[in-house]
Structure formats: C-alpha cells, structure tokens
Amino acid sequence: AIVRLNRAIALCELTGPADALNEVDSIEGLEDRHILHAVRGELLHRLGKHEEACKAFDRALGLATSPAERALLARKLKTSERD
C-alpha cells in the first residue's frame, strides 16, 4: 500500500492530481495512517476542492503523532480553509 501511495505521488507530477487522487482512493490498508489522508488532502487542495481537502487534512491531523507532522498538517488545514 505504501508503494502504491508513493506511485500516486509520482503520478501527480506526471499526469496531474486527478489521476493521482483516483489512485489514492483505490488504496486499501492505510485508512488508519495519517499519510494517506495528508496526501489525499494535498491532491484535493491542488484540484481546488478545499472543503474536501480540509476534511482530509483534519483526519490526517487526528491520526498524526509527531509534533512536526501535526504542525505541518495544521498549516495545510489553515491554508485550505482560507482558499
């Protein structure tokens, strides 16, 4: 599942966030990991779907345990809320 998530990130750079989001949404087994929701939030943000991005970042924030990751996710959440 992590390899597929990394592939989706690379796919975003090659073909754009819509294709990458489709890939991310098909990944199973990472639902309880903050990284899945953080990547999903970033892709949604890039697509201009800010309300959905906020939900994904909020979910990621709830799952993250590292203070540095939590701080980054909180900033991303605020950015999506403003857009």
Side-chain angles (χ1 to χ4, degrees):
I2 290 291
V3 172
R4 288 188 63 204
L5 186 61
N6 286 329
R7 180 185 180 282
I9 294 166
L11 188 62
C12 179
E13 299 305 316
L14 293 172
T15 64
D19 290 337
L21 183 59
N22 287 334
E23 180 70 19
V24 168
D25 285 345
S26 72
I27 296 172
E28 295 180 6
L30 296 179
E31 296 83 9
D32 292 334
R33 303 278 302 274
H34 77 280
I35 192 68
L36 176 75
H37 303 285
V39 169
R40 190 167 190 280
E42 181 64 29
L43 296 172
L44 289 163
H45 182 79
R46 290 184 185 194
L47 288 167
K49 298 180 177 186
H50 302 293
E51 187 174 324
E52 290 178 67
C54 286
K55 289 178 185 176
F57 285 136
D58 189 52
R59 176 80 170 121
L61 188 57
L63 293 169
T65 57
S66 160
E69 289 171 336
R70 291 184 55 76
L72 174 64
L73 290 165
R75 284 193 306 273
K76 287 187 172 285
L77 179 58
K78 283 184 183 182
T79 299
S80 284
E81 288 173 339
R82 284 190 304 241
D83 291 342

